[in-house]
Amino acid sequence: AKRDRDGSAHRKASLQLWTACFLYIGKRVSVKERSGAAASEPSGAGDAANGNKSENGSSAADNSGPMVRLRDAEVERSFTISQLLRASDLSFVEFAREMKHILARVKPKILEQALTEATGSDPPGLGANGGGVRSLESALELAELSMDFCHMSALFSKYKDKFQHLFTSDSEASTVANPNLSPASKKQGQQKKEGSEWETDAWFRLGWLAFIACKAALLPKFVDLVSCASLLVCVLNFLLAHVPPSRLRKPLNDAVAYPVRTSTGATYTLGCVGLLMHAHLQDAQKLMPRVDVFLKELLSKDPVIERYEPVVDAVIMTGCGNYKGLLAVGAAERQLEILDKAYEKSYRLSGEIDARDFAETASSKALGNSSKMTPRLNKRNPLSVAQSLAGQPGSGGIKLKETRSWPSPFIQRRPAGSVPQSPALLNRVAPPTPISEAMAASHWLRKAVSQHMEGTSPELDRIFALCTSSDSEPAAGTSQGGSKDVKDLRGKIEAYVAELADKVLPAVGSPLGKRKAQESGTSVGTSSNSFTSEAERRKKEGIALYFHILEAMLLAEEKRNKGAQVLVALLQNKQLCLALVCLGFEILSFCYKMTALSFPTVLDRLGIGAFDLCKVIEPLVRSECGLNLPKELKRHLFAIEERSLESLSWKPGSTFYKHMVACFKDNSGQEDAAASQQQQSSAFQKVQPLPKCFGRPEDKTSLGSPSEKSLVAFLQKVCKLCTFRLIDLCNRLSRDRLLEQGETVLEQSISIMTYVIYEKTSLLYNRHVDQIMLATLYGVMKVNQIKITFRDIVHHYGKQSQASSHVYRAVVLKQSFPDLQVEESGDIILFYNRVFVPAIQVALLGLTANQGAASESEGGGGREKQQREGRERDQREHYSPTVCATRMPEYKKQEYLLASPSNHSMFTFIGSNPQDHETPSKRFKTINKLIN
């Protein structure tokens, strides 16, 4: 009965979660057909669609795929996510995690339903810019909301930390004022401070309400984290100017606590707070007057408050107005209500997540733990396989054979004979936070592009002069035009880069542009101008970063080749220029933590694939290039490359398939005749047919074409990535005593994974590499008769840093070729039974055959004699004078285990226990006992 109650409660909670997800999808978007949809759409929805185009940088009404439009404002603003989650008793973390799985399952069906009566349109997701699939995800704004949620959680933690660093609580102030209090009273006050006293602190509430109200009114909807940190500096400076001196931990004239001084020797509080948070003082200085004007408009509504303008030659220089009567006795709640209503107006107009919930303990817990949903590109660390490579006794690690080693580039070896030091003797550094990482990265960015922002770069000018003065013709494969094109090369590059920058950050309607000013109802004058200038500055920094990367690359090539002809060829390579622009703006997005340009938004707006971007990441990250990238930025770029290897390069429309077809045509020498007769509209219309496999590099006679070289390097990286993940997963299973034959399973899993990557490449099309890895590991264990469930494998897989639930919950089961249009999807169990086993069963059978042959060769005649005696002994034990059920031969048993879809086959089912899947020999024993 208890189990039934628990199951019923679980089903009810799941139904409630799914209902909330579908309600959000229904209130955000509407899917319509392409033909005639624009004409029949109301004017309000048309304006919303135009706004969606400006916001996401891609048209929601292009010529391919179904048209996904935003709902009318009356429907779209009917409720917010916070209201929906409160009514459903859900956390935002649970909601966002389940939305990813639901979109993976439901999105193709929604778009397929929209295309049932449409004619002449491309399948969803295969248009030039991703079609309706990308528009659907952009309209839901789930990625932006998730990142904004993580940023707000980090900002509140930073605000609370700095508030407690600068100010004391009421209990601490009373203890200082009354030092004669008993120790019991002091202890009680300390416990109260450690509890929820900050929730009821009027000054603490005033600061947070002022921050979120200013953010909603003065900043764009999805603003970068660095701008939010600058706003937080302004709010803390406002509090320093008004909090009573008894609440200050250090007086403002303390030169140690507040070291920044003006030219007249006055304490500059804004500079002190900026120094405390390692923020950009110039940004805070530009933002402080706007914050002062906005708070003046709000606080002037209370007649008790009197404003005094700051004195220029004062001892304390705050940079903002002083308000007498702020939070006075009897007026505190009224003044807090003014700020609360100002934020409520903006929240009702365009907000989704109520930022006031972060300041309440109960509501903050209901939102969920933001660390569990931090974007993977910001929290991931490379897999460490030190334990697996060490193979020390008792460590649980798998010791590989001496003849095979998998060195990890992430291992930092300690010199021999070194003695570990005590932690007390080390200079311990505080762990970085999202805000501190963003500040450090943005400081590096501004320092790196300072010369290019001013247009003065002697080295780049010298290189362009060298290329212009060279009389050499362009290299083969580049654009023709001779010396005239070389002379105009710099102007053409600057124009092309500016054009690409406009696609990433449009001047009007961009996430940093005027759209937010119009939505929030503020005046179009100062607000829109400030938004536009902010967007233009970000755009100029992105362009300057491109030229900084280009300069470093050209200098490295000049040292290596020492020829102007190679430099001209690089400058005339349009695809290289596009990849460098994409890399520059991706670095810009990471350094500022730009929510509106979260990965892979830049790639989508520029129309470049992750496969092409990864070609320039590895050579530019090397120290020889001289970019001197920060450690966090290198980790981000490596994570992008890893994500490309595992999933993005396998998605439909990737240039990986174009290279595959190019290699197939080069090897065959002719196209398939059926490709010319193919009439279906497809992204692969010009590159049919799609090869089923690439083949092993050692089997190819030559690797002369660029496509083959690119694919060989790419597939080698995929093999290396899978090897690291298999080592880590096998170690986790071994530590929990679930895997005894760890060395054998690991070796065989790597072998099968390599076989799939090269010989069964089509299994990876439109799928995730981890899906093949999980199926491979279970198949190898099933062949070796290791009793382990898929549930155990998935459980330990979930502990890896890259793991995500939709990897094993939404797997493509059936798709069309060469369009790769999903026709059916399911979980990892169905994929293993219906797709993986039929394709890989021959290779899995070969594992046991090779293992048996190896054991015979090692044992020699003595081994054969022991095996023969063992077989005779088994026959005597199983002999029955009446009826005898003979044992199945080993190769027949393995074939039976692979091919028979019964309860004791290699096929597995949801919730099944491998202990119930007995082998034929055990069943024959049971039969003999029963019949005799």
Side-chain angles (χ1 to χ4, degrees):
K2 182 180 180 181
R3 183 179 300 176
D4 294 339
R5 289 194 301 268
D6 295 341
S8 178
H10 179 71
R11 287 192 297 270
K12 184 178 179 181
S14 300
L15 180 61
Q16 201 167 6
L17 178 59
W18 295 340
T19 303
C21 294
F22 284 112
L23 280 175
Y24 177 73
I25 294 175
K27 81 119 180 174
R28 287 287 305 198
V29 299
S30 62
V31 184
K32 296 182 178 295
E33 300 175 7
R34 288 289 175 200
S35 55
S40 60
E41 188 73 9
S43 59
D47 295 339
N50 294 332
N52 186 34
K53 173 181 177 181
S54 301
E55 176 183 350
N56 299 290
S58 60
S59 174
D62 38 1
N63 296 326
S64 61
M67 180 166 50
V68 180
R69 289 176 176 261
L70 291 175
R71 290 281 189 184
D72 295 337
E74 182 179 356
V75 178
E76 199 271 332
R77 301 308 308 165
S78 56
F79 58 88
T80 64
I81 285 184
S82 295
Q83 293 174 337
L84 178 63
L85 297 180
R86 291 193 195 103
S88 304
D89 193 18
L90 299 171
S91 68
F92 181 79
V93 176
E94 296 173 342
F95 172 80
R97 185 186 297 120
E98 194 66 22
M99 275 292 297
K100 294 180 181 179
H101 171 62
I102 288 179
L103 283 179
R105 288 291 191 92
V106 178
K107 179 173 57 180
K109 297 182 180 180
I110 294 177
L111 302 178
E112 181 182 359
Q113 183 178 3
L115 287 173
T116 52
E117 298 180 359
T119 57
S121 59
D122 289 338
L126 297 180
N129 294 325
V133 174
R134 177 56 55 187
S135 299
L136 176 61
E137 295 176 347
S138 301
L140 291 177
E141 294 181 342
L142 186 62
E144 290 84 356
L145 289 172
S146 299
M147 185 171 288
D148 188 63
F149 171 79
C150 296
H151 287 177
M152 288 301 298
S153 179
L155 287 167
F156 177 74
S157 299
K158 180 66 71 173
Y159 168 72
K160 180 181 177 182
D161 177 64
K162 298 308 176 185
F163 184 89
Q164 295 177 351
H165 178 82
L166 295 173
F167 312 109
T168 61
S169 62
D170 288 333
S171 59
E172 289 178 324
S174 61
T175 303
V176 174
N178 300 285
N180 296 325
L181 290 177
S182 62
S185 300
K186 294 181 180 180
K187 184 177 180 180
Q188 183 178 3
Q190 181 69 18
Q191 292 177 352
K192 183 179 180 182
K193 183 181 82 69
E194 293 176 354
S196 59
E197 183 184 0
W198 54 271
E199 289 187 32
T200 59
D201 192 334
W203 288 105
F204 186 88
R205 292 173 57 196
L206 174 70
W208 183 247
L209 286 175
F211 172 75
I212 60 177
C214 292
K215 179 180 179 295
L218 303 178
L219 298 180
K221 182 178 181 180
F222 297 121
V223 66
D224 58 85
L225 188 60
V226 174
S227 299
C228 292
S230 300
L231 178 60
L232 189 59
V233 170
C234 297
V235 172
L236 289 173
N237 177 66
F238 175 80
L239 292 177
L240 271 179
H242 296 89
V243 172
S246 60
R247 294 284 304 272
L248 296 176
R249 292 194 180 274
K250 298 290 183 179
L252 294 179
N253 56 4
D254 190 338
V256 177
Y258 303 96
V260 182
R261 295 290 190 270
T262 63
S263 58
T264 60
T267 302
Y268 189 33
T269 56
L270 184 63
C272 294
V273 178
L275 181 64
L276 179 65
M277 292 190 59
H278 305 283
H280 300 283
L281 183 58
Q282 299 85 355
D283 295 352
Q285 289 173 341
K286 293 179 181 178
L287 193 58
M288 191 68 231
R290 297 170 54 201
V291 173
D292 191 24
V293 172
F294 177 74
L295 293 178
K296 176 183 177 182
E297 295 177 358
L298 294 180
L299 297 178
S300 61
K301 299 178 182 179
D302 190 2
V304 178
I305 295 180
E306 298 181 10
R307 174 183 168 87
Y308 295 92
E309 295 296 333
V311 182
V312 178
D313 56 350
V315 179
I316 307 298
M317 186 64 183
T318 60
C320 64
N322 297 322
Y323 298 89
K324 184 180 180 180
L326 186 61
L327 294 187
V329 178
E333 292 299 329
R334 182 173 66 251
Q335 295 167 4
L336 292 174
E337 186 178 359
I338 293 175
L339 293 174
D340 187 82
K341 288 183 178 180
Y343 174 75
E344 179 73 17
K345 181 180 178 181
S346 302
Y347 166 67
R348 292 289 184 181
L349 187 62
S350 60
E352 287 289 352
I353 301 176
D354 194 347
R356 293 170 293 188
D357 294 341
F358 290 96
E360 301 176 4
T361 303
S363 301
S364 179
K365 291 181 179 179
L367 288 173
N369 187 2
S370 61
S371 62
K372 295 183 178 181
M373 63 169 300
T374 302
R376 54 182 297 188
L377 293 180
N378 297 340
K379 73 174 182 180
R380 299 182 55 187
N381 292 321
L383 288 177
S384 177
V385 293
Q387 293 182 351
S388 62
L389 295 176
Q392 298 177 357
S395 63
I398 299 174
K399 184 178 180 180
L400 294 174
K401 296 180 180 179
E402 295 181 358
T403 57
R404 175 175 294 189
S405 61
W406 306 99
S408 173
F410 309 112
I411 298 178
Q412 298 180 358
R413 303 186 182 276
R414 180 177 297 174
S418 62
V419 180
Q421 298 180 357
S422 172
L425 302 177
L426 302 177
N427 294 326
R428 307 190 66 177
V429 181
T433 63
I435 297 179
S436 63
E437 287 185 357
M439 292 301 172
S442 59
H443 278 293
W444 169 85
L445 174 67
R446 296 189 179 187
K447 182 179 179 181
V449 303
S450 58
Q451 290 185 347
H452 299 281
M453 290 288 289
E454 299 173 356
T456 57
S457 178
E459 290 294 336
L460 191 60
D461 294 340
R462 181 185 62 81
I463 291 177
F464 273 110
L466 178 64
C467 296
T468 303
S469 60
S470 176
D471 296 332
S472 60
E473 294 293 329
T478 59
S479 60
Q480 300 296 326
S483 60
K484 182 178 179 180
D485 290 343
V486 175
K487 292 180 180 180
D488 300 337
L489 188 58
R490 182 164 192 171
K492 291 181 179 180
I493 291 177
E494 292 176 352
Y496 182 62
V497 172
E499 180 183 355
L500 295 177
D502 288 334
K503 293 182 180 180
V504 179
L505 290 175
V508 179
S510 68
L512 296 174
K514 297 181 180 179
R515 182 183 60 82
K516 179 59 186 172
Q518 297 175 356
E519 287 183 355
S520 59
T522 56
S523 59
V524 184
T526 58
S527 298
S528 63
N529 291 335
S530 59
F531 295 152
T532 305
S533 62
E534 189 73 13
E536 290 298 325
R537 191 179 72 171
R538 294 286 189 268
K539 187 188 301 183
K540 290 180 180 179
E541 288 177 344
I543 295 174
L545 186 57
Y546 160 78
F547 284 106
H548 176 67
I549 297 174
L550 180 65
E551 177 185 347
M553 183 191 69
L554 293 177
L555 289 176
E557 287 296 323
E558 185 183 21
K559 292 180 181 178
R560 189 177 66 174
N561 296 310
K562 298 181 180 180
Q565 185 177 358
V566 178
L567 302 181
V568 172
L570 291 175
L571 291 173
Q572 291 179 335
N573 193 328
K574 192 173 182 180
Q575 292 297 325
L576 177 61
C577 180
L578 177 62
L580 293 181
V581 171
C582 182
L583 179 64
F585 277 94
E586 182 60 38
I587 294 176
L588 177 76
S589 174
F590 171 78
C591 291
Y592 285 106
K593 296 294 188 295
M594 301 175 68
T595 305
L597 290 182
S598 59
F599 184 81
T601 305
V602 177
L603 279 71
D604 296 332
R605 294 184 180 181
L606 292 178
I608 184 176
F611 184 86
D612 297 325
L613 178 62
C614 290
K615 292 180 182 179
V616 301
I617 288 180
E618 183 178 358
L620 292 177
V621 169
R622 296 174 182 172
S623 58
E624 294 83 1
C625 189
L627 285 177
N628 298 323
L629 301 177
K631 179 178 62 176
E632 294 80 9
L633 183 54
K634 288 184 179 180
R635 186 183 297 117
H636 174 75
L637 295 178
F638 284 137
I640 289 178
E641 185 178 16
E642 188 173 336
R643 188 171 174 184
S644 173
L645 295 174
E646 67 184 16
S647 62
L648 292 181
S649 295
W650 304 101
K651 289 185 176 296
S654 173
T655 52
F656 167 81
Y657 300 106
K658 296 182 181 180
H659 289 290
M660 284 286 292
V661 173
C663 294
F664 177 76
K665 289 181 179 179
D666 293 340
N667 294 332
S668 63
Q670 57 182 359
E671 296 187 29
D672 193 354
S676 60
Q677 301 176 359
Q678 187 77 14
Q679 300 295 331
Q680 185 178 6
S681 178
S682 167
F684 302 97
Q685 184 174 353
K686 299 180 181 180
V687 290
Q688 292 181 357
L690 190 61
K692 296 293 184 181
C693 68
F694 177 73
R696 294 184 180 270
E698 55 269 18
D699 297 337
K700 297 182 179 295
T701 58
S702 63
L703 297 176
S705 64
S707 296
E708 288 182 336
K709 293 180 180 179
S710 299
L711 290 179
V712 168
F714 172 77
L715 295 179
Q716 286 176 352
K717 292 180 180 179
V718 174
C719 289
K720 185 177 181 180
L721 177 67
C722 294
T723 299
F724 285 151
R725 293 183 178 181
L726 281 171
I727 292 174
D728 179 76
L729 186 55
C730 290
N731 278 334
R732 294 179 186 274
L733 293 170
S734 179
R735 283 194 294 267
D736 284 358
R737 308 301 181 187
L738 297 175
L739 182 60
E740 297 179 356
Q741 306 175 15
E743 180 183 347
T744 302
V745 170
L746 179 58
E747 294 286 338
Q748 294 180 354
S749 299
I750 294 174
S751 175
I752 293 296
M753 198 70 204
T754 305
Y755 170 78
V756 172
I757 291 173
Y758 288 108
E759 303 295 338
K760 297 290 183 180
T761 317
S762 59
L763 284 178
L764 290 163
Y765 293 171
N766 201 15
R767 293 189 178 98
H768 200 286
V769 167
D770 288 353
Q771 296 168 352
I772 310 298
M773 182 187 69
L774 295 174
T776 297
L777 186 59
Y778 184 83
V780 171
M781 291 184 179
K782 198 71 174 179
V783 167
N784 290 278
Q785 301 182 19
I786 299 176
K787 297 181 179 180
I788 194 171
T789 62
F790 238 132
R791 188 190 302 269
D792 296 329
I793 297 177
V794 169
H795 171 70
H796 287 82
Y797 164 76
K799 298 178 182 179
Q800 292 186 341
S801 59
Q802 86 285 353
S804 180
S805 61
H806 74 274
V807 170
Y808 51 83
R809 295 179 63 183
V811 190
V812 176
L813 301 179
K814 187 178 180 181
Q815 57 185 342
S816 61
F817 281 91
D819 305 274
L820 300 183
Q821 180 179 350
V822 179
E823 298 177 358
E824 185 182 358
S825 60
D827 55 25
I828 189 67
I829 305 294
L830 292 176
F831 168 75
Y832 175 82
N833 290 332
R834 294 171 52 180
V835 181
F836 184 80
V837 170
I840 311 297
Q841 59 180 350
V842 177
L844 289 173
L845 285 172
L847 295 177
T848 56
N850 296 335
Q851 187 176 3
S855 61
E856 290 180 2
S857 62
E858 292 176 2
R863 178 66 58 84
E864 293 179 357
K865 181 178 180 180
Q866 293 178 0
Q867 290 180 353
R868 184 170 61 255
E869 293 177 354
R871 287 194 297 267
E872 293 176 356
R873 184 173 58 254
D874 292 340
Q875 290 178 2
R876 289 194 299 268
E877 292 177 357
H878 294 292
Y879 175 76
S880 172
T882 308
V883 180
C884 179
T886 59
R887 297 185 63 185
M888 183 180 294
E890 188 67 22
Y891 71 95
K892 288 288 186 182
K893 181 175 67 174
Q894 296 297 337
E895 185 175 338
Y896 175 75
L897 288 173
L898 285 170
S900 178
S902 62
N903 60 344
H904 50 79
S905 69
M906 188 181 175
F907 293 83
T908 184
F909 302 91
I910 299 176
S912 61
N913 192 340
Q915 296 178 357
D916 300 334
H917 303 166
E918 296 181 349
T919 59
S921 60
K922 292 183 179 179
R923 298 195 64 186
F924 288 142
K925 290 181 182 179
T926 305
I927 293 174
N928 285 330
K929 290 180 180 180
L930 292 176
I931 63 179
N932 294 323

